[in-house]
Amino acid sequence: MRFEDLLRPTEKGLYCPPGDFHIDPVRPVERALVTHGHADHARPGHAHVMATRETLDIMGIRYGEGFAGQTQAAAYGEVMSLNGVTVSWHPAGHVLGAAQIAVEKDGVRIVASGDYKRRRDPTCAAFEPVECDVFITEATFGLPVFRHPDDREEIARLLKSVEQFPQSAHLVGAYALGKAQRVIALLREAGYDRVIYIHGAMQKLCDYYISRGVDLGPLAPATIDRAARDQFAGAIVIGPPAAFVDRWARRFPDPVSCFASGWMRVRQRAKQRGVELPLILSDHCDWDELTETILELRPQEVWVTHGREEALVRWCELNQIRAKPLNIVGYEDETE
């Protein structure tokens, strides 16, 4: 079987002709296998959706219970057959419930990794390397300039700033699914045991993480009025990045603008956003982790989806690994 006969890009996303299903389709389809709950991969309106229990629950939180006609939960390590095609689910290390999907037929195995990272994350299962003939990888940070520092160092910088400016509220912009919970968990591991205040848009997702056994410590709503303004002096407030550009953010005492993102490696991006304390924290692989993963797996081919496809494809070619960009429209570089 040719690799393209098992899985191929279409205008709706990756499609498996013999199994008659799509992976992370960007338009409504009859049967969708979804890698994780971020909006550019998990969309409502499909007739049937198969994903991990956590991803299905997260889609329900974000879109409402009627986000799909029917749903089916898959567990890590579970193997199932769809029209004669074997499908299995493996941890991706991206966010809670994120999975790589291995598709196999007639001795050919293709792994669609979705989004993934190799760093340890206390809020989700670690990435599991899966032997394959074709590895489909993202390339969000697929340039050599993107080499992310140790997560603990970035959290230490945040805590040092809180100590140095005890009258200031530190406002940390972080994506509501995955990044926010990871920042909170890393703060707890660093010994920060004070109340962390969260924007209302994060409450349901934080509650869900807690229900799945992720310890986030004491949290409280970041609800502020003039009478309560002083209680936020020296506090850490976490919210979606968009919330910190409106009047809501200006109500906090002497706020310090922070932003947790792999894009904070680019100083110009931090400057454009008015970020005073950039925190280089990403839920994706950096350049070294992308290339190390490919070398570890040593697939016959690498297909590159979204991000900096050209650089990673060229690196593969220089390392005698066949590679090509898939150019699937509809995935974000990183929704942060």
Side-chain angles (χ1 to χ4, degrees):
M1 173 175 285
R2 295 188 312 159
F3 299 150
E4 292 78 5
D5 292 337
L6 180 56
L7 208 57
R8 67 181 62 164
T10 70
E11 63 180 11
K12 293 184 177 181
L14 283 170
Y15 178 62
C16 176
D20 193 22
F21 60 81
H22 290 78
I23 297 177
D24 291 350
V26 297
R27 300 181 186 176
V29 298
E30 180 64 25
R31 183 177 297 278
L33 278 59
V34 176
T35 61
H36 66 282
H38 280 147
D40 56 333
H41 292 256
R43 302 169 191 251
H46 306 304
H48 301 82
V49 171
M50 187 182 299
T52 64
R53 177 74 271 159
E54 291 88 350
T55 294
L56 292 175
D57 290 344
I58 287 167
M59 292 179 73
I61 291 170
R62 307 190 90 180
Y63 301 128
E65 291 304 315
F67 68 85
Q70 295 180 334
T71 62
Q72 180 179 348
Y76 291 141
E78 185 172 358
V79 179
M80 56 188 70
S81 179
L82 295 177
N83 299 323
V85 175
T86 299
V87 177
S88 57
W89 305 75
H90 311 269
H94 181 53
V95 297
L96 184 64
Q100 304 172 83
I101 301 175
V103 180
E104 187 170 3
K105 183 176 175 61
D106 297 340
V108 172
R109 179 189 288 168
I110 300 177
V111 170
S113 62
D115 289 336
Y116 67 102
K117 72 172 181 291
R118 304 302 302 265
R119 302 284 175 101
R120 176 188 169 275
D121 184 340
T123 69
C124 66
F127 177 91
E128 175 187 296
V130 180
E131 185 177 348
C132 55
D133 299 294
V134 178
F135 183 59
I136 303 177
T137 180
E138 55 146 311
T140 300
F141 294 108
L143 289 173
V145 67
F146 291 112
R147 288 184 165 93
H148 301 150
D150 190 298
D151 301 341
R152 294 166 295 185
E153 294 176 2
E154 298 302 286
I155 293 298
R157 291 175 56 239
L158 172 58
L159 293 176
K160 182 178 180 180
S161 183
V162 171
E163 181 181 355
Q164 289 178 328
F165 303 100
Q167 299 307 311
S168 297
H170 282 66
L171 310 184
V172 182
Y175 190 61
L177 171 57
K179 183 66 63 64
Q181 295 78 22
R182 182 173 168 218
V183 169
I184 294 169
L186 289 172
L187 283 166
R188 300 308 186 198
E189 288 191 341
Y192 187 81
D193 58 4
R194 296 171 55 187
V195 171
I196 294 175
Y197 296 92
I198 59 173
H199 189 278
M202 297 179 166
Q203 188 67 58
K204 288 184 178 180
L205 286 169
C206 285
D207 288 346
Y208 181 70
Y209 267 66
I210 293 168
S211 76
R212 302 301 290 185
V214 179
D215 183 9
L216 300 180
L219 304 176
T223 304
I224 188 168
D225 55 36
R226 293 185 183 278
R229 191 171 184 269
D230 291 343
Q231 80 180 71
F232 292 97
I236 294 176
V237 180
I238 300 179
F244 294 137
V245 297
D246 63 19
R247 290 180 297 175
W248 178 81
R250 294 195 291 271
R251 299 174 186 173
F252 292 94
D254 194 19
V256 175
S257 172
C258 315
F259 190 25
S261 169
W263 293 113
M264 292 299 96
R265 170 60 75 187
V266 182
R267 292 183 179 180
Q268 188 61 26
R269 289 218 180 194
K271 185 177 180 181
Q272 288 172 347
R273 286 180 169 269
V275 177
E276 298 167 90
L277 182 60
L279 303 171
I280 306 172
L281 289 168
S282 177
D283 287 330
H284 300 254
C285 291
D286 66 6
W287 172 260
D288 289 336
E289 291 158 345
L290 287 169
T291 56
E292 288 167 3
T293 299
I294 293 170
L295 288 176
E296 179 181 4
L297 296 174
R298 272 288 169 183
Q300 293 183 44
E301 287 190 16
V302 173
W303 297 351
V304 187
T305 54
H306 52 299
R308 275 70 206 152
E309 293 105 330
E310 297 83 0
L312 194 57
V313 167
R314 180 57 178 160
W315 179 91
C316 288
E317 292 170 346
L318 292 173
N319 284 271
Q320 290 74 54
I321 301 172
R322 293 199 301 270
K324 66 178 182 180
L326 291 188
N327 299 318
I328 295 177
V329 177
Y331 297 144
E332 300 290 339
D333 284 349
E334 185 173 20
T335 315
E336 294 187 321

